[in-house]
Amino acid sequence: MPDTRESALRGDCAQCFGLCCVALPFAKSADFAADKSAGDPCRNLQDDFRCGIHARLRPSGFQGCTVYDCFGAGQRVSQVTFGGVSWREAPETARQMYEVFPVVRQLHELLRYLTEALERPAARRLHGELRTALARVEELAALPAADLEKLDVGPVRAEVNPLLLRTSELVRATAGGKPRGRRGADLVGKRLRGAKLRGTDLRGALLIAADLTGADLTLTDLIGADLRDADLSGAVLTDALFLTQPQLNAARGDSATVLPHGFERPSHWAS
């Protein structure tokens, strides 16, 4: 099995050359206090590649930074693909490094989902196919920079997606009752307080500012669901499928929100 331990699929800023702070663009908005073009270092990036306002990103107007995770792509590109030589030390590699980073980020996101699928006993019959897919994606993520720069991740996603869908069906079936589908549903601002959503397919659903207070989201599929500003106070997310830390960071919640094992309660949530 490739090395897909949890630590390898979570951003480690101390091992990264601040790639998300340089390679990615952002526009002045509610999420960012200023405009920044792709390839330009953020004004808050320090010489040691640390963020100068990391402890106060939200009050400083950089909420968008707190809901981003590279899934470990930053440290991989920095320390493995480019051998620990930064874009400051070798400016001639900067453009290629910035191109490679989002490609590897997409691959690591797939690795994150495949790894979770392999941890689901209900999907045991798919484990052989899942391991093959995981090994293939890991092989691609380990390609040299020149090959990664040209890689189209679309077909890779198309190969992996059916496996993730089948995993979802098997896992959600253990929730009991008839599986419900709300895939891609527009639930922006909807009042779903106390909703019984156990085992529901919410893949790609728009839940921006939705009121999910006290909702039962046990065994729900949340892959790609937009939870920005959704209220998860008191909600139960036990064994939620394909949930990511950035999704939680983008939402609101409180001390009564029941999180799946291994997730951190965002610091901005109510006590």
Side-chain angles (χ1 to χ4, degrees):
M1 283 285 292
D3 181 4
T4 55
R5 292 169 299 178
E6 182 180 351
S7 60
L9 296 174
R10 179 176 293 184
D12 182 354
C13 297
Q15 298 299 318
C16 179
F17 299 142
L19 294 182
C20 65
C21 307
V22 184
L24 307 180
F26 52 72
K28 187 174 182 179
S29 61
D31 291 324
F32 297 100
D35 294 318
K36 190 190 84 63
S37 300
D40 291 341
C42 174
R43 67 190 188 189
N44 299 308
L45 185 65
Q46 301 180 135
D47 291 341
D48 61 356
F49 301 114
R50 301 297 183 94
C51 174
I53 61 167
H54 188 268
R56 56 182 193 282
L57 281 166
R58 281 181 173 269
S60 299
F62 287 86
Q63 176 176 313
C65 298
T66 69
V67 301
Y68 179 82
D69 188 353
C70 70
F71 298 105
Q75 63 259 31
R76 181 177 201 137
V77 172
S78 299
Q79 303 300 330
V80 180
T81 311
F82 285 87
V85 181
S86 76
W87 48 270
R88 282 182 174 147
E89 296 171 282
E92 68 277 8
T93 67
R95 183 202 59 79
Q96 187 177 56
M97 194 178 296
Y98 303 157
E99 293 291 331
V100 165
F101 171 61
V103 173
V104 176
R105 195 264 184 194
Q106 292 181 71
L107 294 173
H108 268 231
E109 183 178 12
L110 291 176
L111 289 174
R112 159 71 174 74
Y113 295 143
L114 287 166
T115 300
E116 178 181 342
L118 279 165
E119 295 170 350
R120 298 283 182 167
R124 186 172 288 110
R125 72 180 70 171
L126 300 177
H127 282 188
E129 293 177 77
L130 287 165
R131 289 191 186 95
T132 299
L134 186 146
R136 171 58 178 156
V137 178
E138 174 62 29
E139 182 181 89
L140 292 174
L143 287 171
D147 294 326
L148 284 166
E149 188 178 12
K150 297 178 291 186
L151 181 65
D152 181 0
V153 184
V156 184
R157 285 187 178 277
E159 291 177 16
V160 170
N161 192 50
L163 274 174
L164 299 180
L165 285 170
R166 289 161 63 193
T167 297
S168 175
E169 291 170 359
L170 290 170
V171 174
R172 290 186 297 106
T174 66
K178 184 179 180 180
R180 291 179 292 174
R182 301 297 299 275
R183 187 184 305 174
D186 184 352
L187 302 171
V188 175
K190 291 291 185 179
R191 183 178 173 84
L192 298 167
R193 182 181 292 261
K196 306 303 181 183
L197 298 170
R198 185 184 182 92
T200 300
D201 183 357
L202 287 172
R203 168 183 287 242
L206 299 177
L207 290 156
I208 302 169
D211 182 2
L212 289 160
T213 304
D216 183 2
L217 295 162
T218 302
L219 292 167
T220 56
D221 185 341
L222 291 168
I223 193 169
D226 194 336
L227 294 171
R228 283 178 293 168
D229 210 31
D231 192 347
L232 296 173
S233 299
V236 179
L237 290 99
T238 305
D239 289 331
L241 266 164
F242 305 128
L243 177 69
T244 66
Q245 190 66 47
Q247 285 174 299
L248 288 178
N249 293 347
R252 293 178 290 127
D254 61 12
S255 58
T257 306
V258 180
L259 300 180
H261 174 72
F263 285 86
E264 299 176 1
R265 196 172 304 276
S267 59
H268 66 276
W269 282 16
S271 57

